Amino acid sequence: MKNKKLKLSNELVQKNADGFNESNNPESKKLIFPSGFLWGASTAAHQVEGNMKNNWTKWEKENAERLVKEAKTKWQPWQQKKFPEMFEPKNYISGQACDQYHRYEEDFDIVKKLNHNAHRFSIEWSRIEPEEGRFDEKEIKHYRKVIQALRARGIEPFVTLWHWTNPQWIEEMGGPTNKKFIFYFARFAELMAREFFGLVNFWLTINEPTSVISASYISGIWPPQKRNPLIALKVYKILSQAHNQAYETIHSVSQNVQVGFANVLVYLNPVNKSSILDRLTVKIGNYFANRKFLNMTDGYNDFLTLQYYFHFDVAFLATNNNKNEVVSDLGWEVYPEGIYHLLKNLGKYNLPIYITENGLADAEDEKREKFIKDSLLWTHRAINEGIDVRGYFYWSLIDNFEWDKGFWPRFGLVEINYKTQERKIRSSALEYAKICQENTVKI
Ligand code: IFM
């Protein structure tokens, strides 16, 4: 298998001679990225900060015991053996998380040391507006310090405003199933744009709308665990309008900033290209997973984003026929080529593109370096073919709280010891740091 993947990389290089520098070793190549390319990693407040009070913290307490029981059937024996933490209720409680609320300076020193020139994080709405209309000055001050800490290190902040968690008062009114969400979110976005005027150039309104629609309202595994396709359709509408309104309110504060949303896309492929039914299944999947939200926000994006984790070989009535030759600790297929196809499709919208998430859970750090390099090879190929990709953010900077799965999946460039909060830079992070420094991937 290894050899097969390696051949793939070489083929990619041979076909894209433009933009590669030959070195003395005829076997090695350099893939140079456009100048000004942004390199970084992403996080989200709920997953790293600790000590939250929002809809997820409530749900975690109510569901931890159930999630422990379900782990036995949900995960493969190799995963159960490798990650016995999944059988402890505390795995499912975000609690202190990585304590980044207090340790952001330390973490941004690491970001700097790793040569990132950009960093994505989120502002937690429930901290800023814990009750309707009551805005907490102390928390606004806190996030100002966070942004200034990045700026002081020469790092461009990319700021997400809604990474799935709701203040409890928003949750109680139905979260994004209630039209009022649009007004309240746009008001919050405007306040943030005003408070951080001149400090933030890139705003991301909503994180992965389709993930929350599918996990909360279709499969019903995330709060509020409502399985109802009609509600799911309503949430598409409300979240897209919330984005569109926030786009307007942010721009009412400043025309100079750029606004987009963090978009996860799935690369779907028909198992049998000549089967009409397989192709139809892909078409329907592409519409709901990849196109619908983009269409609904058409005209309200200064840039597009790509967050890429999943590829599926799709047959009629059977969505997952993947070969799964390489998988992450979560059992998710590692398929870097998908990023290329999705970038090519996004290119049709003629907007700058930032890859705002791409990563894998790999506690032993065995696959991460190759994953990053392969993903960047395919990204470079898309750039060479004219796609305007301007940045890459690995998910995630540090290990963190992976929602309903808890702490055991380890996505970080930096390992977290949850007992001591010690940070340990993984070796793949150092390899990625060389890429960031040189703006070049060497293969
Ligand atoms: O951890 C999540 C993140 O919050 C959103 N994108 C996918 C990541 C990995 O599942």
Side-chain angles (χ1 to χ4, degrees):
M1 182 51 234
K2 256 193 175 151
N3 287 341
K4 204 170 155 199
K5 286 272 165 192
L6 202 73
K7 246 168 85 192
L8 193 70
S9 305
N10 286 339
E11 191 185 280
L12 182 64
V13 172
Q14 303 308 335
K15 281 193 183 161
N16 290 278
D18 292 349
F20 294 106
N21 276 0
E22 302 280 346
S23 74
N24 291 339
N25 177 354
E27 289 301 305
S28 76
K29 303 276 178 186
K30 285 180 178 180
L31 310 176
I32 302 167
F33 280 71
S35 73
F37 198 81
L38 295 180
W39 296 102
S42 293
T43 61
H46 186 78
Q47 296 177 268
V48 298
E49 283 186 358
N51 201 21
M52 290 293 183
K53 277 194 199 100
N54 57 33
N55 63 323
W56 267 86
T57 45
K58 185 164 181 284
W59 183 86
E60 288 157 20
K61 286 184 198 116
E62 292 163 1
N63 288 275
E65 297 283 351
R66 173 179 65 81
L67 292 167
V68 165
K69 285 191 199 121
E70 288 177 6
K72 257 260 142 330
T73 47
K74 197 164 171 191
W75 303 107
Q76 300 288 325
W78 67 267
Q79 290 164 310
Q80 296 181 22
K81 198 166 158 219
K82 193 165 169 188
F83 302 103
E85 314 92 283
M86 67 170 71
F87 297 106
E88 294 171 27
K90 70 170 195 286
N91 173 66
Y92 301 96
I93 308 275
S94 55
Q96 284 309 305
C98 315
D99 193 27
Q100 200 188 62
Y101 187 87
H102 299 109
R103 294 169 194 258
Y104 62 90
E105 298 263 8
E106 179 186 347
D107 287 346
F108 296 166
D109 283 345
I110 295 176
V111 167
K112 178 90 192 138
K113 186 168 167 188
L114 293 179
N115 305 320
H116 300 186
N117 57 11
H119 180 69
R120 175 175 169 235
F121 71 98
S122 75
I123 293 181
E124 176 65 20
W125 187 2
S126 63
R127 288 198 197 276
I128 302 286
E129 194 178 1
E131 289 160 35
E132 199 265 287
R134 181 169 76 77
F135 299 97
D136 190 327
E137 283 301 326
K138 193 177 102 275
E139 297 296 354
I140 295 174
K141 209 164 151 191
H142 168 79
Y143 283 113
R144 182 169 297 113
K145 282 204 243 150
V146 170
I147 298 166
Q148 283 167 339
L150 285 171
R151 287 244 164 266
R153 289 164 178 79
I155 295 158
E156 184 71 44
F158 270 55
V159 185
T160 313
L161 291 167
W162 191 74
H163 201 114
W164 301 339
T165 47
N166 290 324
Q168 199 47 39
W169 60 273
I170 283 280
E171 186 70 2
E172 277 158 23
M173 65 174 64
T177 69
N178 184 332
K179 266 182 163 173
K180 288 184 188 159
F181 183 94
I182 301 166
F183 166 79
Y184 289 125
F185 179 68
R187 181 175 74 175
F188 163 63
E190 181 178 353
L191 178 75
M192 294 299 93
R194 228 175 262 297
E195 289 290 345
F196 305 131
F197 181 86
L199 283 174
V200 175
N201 296 323
F202 294 92
W203 291 103
L204 293 154
T205 56
I206 307 271
N207 181 66
E208 295 186 7
T210 51
S211 300
V212 79
I213 289 168
S214 104
S216 296
Y217 304 101
I218 295 176
S219 62
I221 55 170
W222 288 357
Q225 291 191 276
K226 288 204 173 119
R227 295 176 72 159
N228 183 333
L230 292 178
I231 298 185
L233 288 176
K234 195 172 174 192
V235 177
Y236 268 105
K237 208 165 163 192
I238 290 173
L239 283 182
S240 58
Q241 288 179 3
H243 165 78
N244 296 349
Q245 284 277 318
Y247 178 91
E248 297 283 9
T249 56
I250 295 171
H251 276 310
S252 74
V253 176
S254 170
Q255 283 301 327
N256 296 329
V257 298
Q258 298 192 39
V259 185
F261 70 97
N263 194 15
V264 70
L265 298 178
V266 186
Y267 177 50
L268 302 172
N269 226 352
V271 169
N272 177 357
K273 284 198 177 62
S274 53
S275 154
I276 293 179
L277 288 177
D278 288 11
R279 288 205 327 258
L280 181 71
T281 314
V282 167
K283 241 190 158 94
I284 296 170
N286 269 333
Y287 175 70
F288 284 104
N290 296 336
R291 276 217 313 279
K292 189 172 165 64
F293 204 88
L294 269 177
N295 293 346
M296 293 171 105
T297 57
D298 190 24
Y300 294 89
N301 289 301
D302 299 322
F303 60 90
L304 297 181
T305 63
L306 170 60
Q307 312 203 150
Y308 172 60
Y309 294 92
F310 294 109
H311 147 258
F312 293 114
D313 285 328
V314 176
F316 183 56
L317 298 181
T319 45
N320 191 343
N321 297 275
N322 290 9
K323 296 191 183 72
N324 283 343
E325 283 163 338
V326 184
V327 295
S328 73
D329 288 344
L330 277 161
W332 300 355
E333 188 189 37
V334 176
Y335 193 78
E337 180 182 336
I339 209 165
Y340 163 80
H341 299 283
L342 293 169
L343 287 171
K344 290 288 279 190
N345 274 326
L346 277 184
K348 294 178 192 146
Y349 292 83
N350 280 323
L351 285 169
I353 302 168
Y354 295 89
I355 298 165
T356 41
E357 282 187 30
N358 177 229
L360 84 174
D362 177 21
E364 306 295 335
D365 204 32
E366 291 162 342
K367 298 172 184 159
R368 192 171 282 105
E369 178 186 335
K370 177 163 168 50
F371 169 85
I372 292 175
K373 287 189 174 162
D374 283 351
S375 301
L376 290 171
L377 279 176
W378 286 106
T379 299
H380 190 269
R381 179 171 181 167
I383 294 172
N384 258 3
E385 293 175 18
I387 307 299
D388 185 8
V389 186
R390 299 192 181 178
Y392 177 88
F393 294 75
Y394 176 80
W395 180 271
S396 180
L397 176 68
I398 50 185
D399 290 339
N400 59 54
F401 181 73
E402 178 60 13
W403 307 106
D404 59 320
K405 286 137 198 111
F407 286 108
W408 69 260
R410 288 178 177 266
F411 279 88
L413 291 171
V414 178
E415 184 184 337
I416 299 285
N417 177 334
Y418 291 110
K419 285 196 188 101
T420 61
Q421 292 294 353
E422 190 197 340
R423 274 73 172 141
K424 198 165 141 204
I425 296 174
R426 292 196 162 104
S427 69
S428 58
L430 298 174
E431 289 303 312
Y432 180 51
K434 286 185 204 154
I435 294 173
C436 302
Q437 185 174 38
E438 291 165 17
N439 205 33
T440 298
V441 180
K442 288 187 189 145
I443 49 170

